[in-house]
Amino acid sequence: MFLKSVVDGILAEQNRSLSWLAAEMGKTFDGLRLSLIRGSIKYLDLQKMAKILNVPVSRFFTDPAEYDILIKTTINEPLEEYNSIYKTEFKSCQEMVETLKSQIKDKDKIIALLSK
């Protein structure tokens, strides 16, 4: 039911109907409606639907309220700020990987010494 409410919201924004979307996708109205309600729609159909509605596929999996907040936040904050945050996080992750690798080497040495 969540997916159907998201699609209904997108259709309302674009002043379109579910029957229009079904026709554009080459599906029956009832078949499309049931697959949205049950969440049994195929991934390829989701891609096709996203293309027809001109939205990213991820929009179908994001709560509408969260999506609005995400869009407002992304528009209001400069891109450079995100880049520096990601670079810092990436550097931190690289350091963690090196630390974990050295711990594995140490443990391998301990295992080798104990097995003698």
Side-chain angles (χ1 to χ4, degrees), residues 16-32:
R16 303 279 186 177
S17 67
L18 190 59
S19 58
W20 170 83
L21 180 60
E24 289 291 313
M25 292 182 65
K27 304 271 182 202
T28 64
F29 172 80
D30 290 331
L32 180 61

Side-chain angles (χ1 to χ4, degrees), residues 2 5 10 13 19 28 33 35-36 39-40 44-45 48 73-74 78 80 83 88 90 106 110-111:
F2 171 76
S5 64
I10 294 168
E13 289 172 6
S19 58
T28 64
R33 186 178 65 80
S35 65
L36 290 172
S40 62
L44 293 176
D45 290 335
K48 189 174 184 180
T73 305
T74 304
E80 296 83 29
N83 285 339
T88 305
F90 181 69
D106 291 344
I110 291 171
I111 291 170

Side-chain angles (χ1 to χ4, degrees), residues 52-68:
I52 291 168
L53 295 173
N54 197 25
V55 296
V57 175
S58 61
R59 176 92 185 261
F60 299 129
F61 303 103
T62 307
D63 183 28
E66 291 176 13
Y67 185 79
D68 291 339

Side-chain angles (χ1 to χ4, degrees), residues 6-115:
V6 171
V7 172
D8 286 342
I10 294 168
L11 289 170
E13 289 172 6
Q14 298 182 4
N15 295 320
R16 303 279 186 177
S17 67
L18 190 59
S19 58
W20 170 83
L21 180 60
E24 289 291 313
M25 292 182 65
K27 304 271 182 202
T28 64
F29 172 80
D30 290 331
L32 180 61
R33 186 178 65 80
L34 283 174
S35 65
L36 290 172
I37 290 171
R38 293 179 181 163
S40 62
I41 192 165
K42 295 179 182 175
Y43 179 71
L44 293 176
D45 290 335
L46 281 174
Q47 285 182 319
K48 189 174 184 180
M49 187 184 324
K51 187 174 181 180
I52 291 168
L53 295 173
N54 197 25
V55 296
V57 175
S58 61
R59 176 92 185 261
F60 299 129
F61 303 103
T62 307
D63 183 28
E66 291 176 13
Y67 185 79
D68 291 339
I69 292 169
L70 178 66
I71 292 298
K72 289 176 186 173
T73 305
T74 304
I75 291 172
N76 293 335
E77 295 181 9
L79 186 59
E80 296 83 29
E81 183 179 327
Y82 283 112
N83 285 339
S84 65
I85 291 171
Y86 289 136
K87 285 179 183 176
T88 305
E89 288 292 321
F90 181 69
K91 201 174 278 187
S92 174
C93 288
Q94 284 179 325
E95 291 171 2
M96 181 62 77
V97 166
E98 292 303 318
T99 303
L100 292 172
K101 284 181 180 179
S102 69
Q103 286 179 357
I104 289 172
K105 287 179 185 177
D106 291 344
K107 289 182 181 186
D108 286 342
K109 288 179 185 177
I110 291 171
I111 291 170
L113 289 173
L114 290 174
S115 63

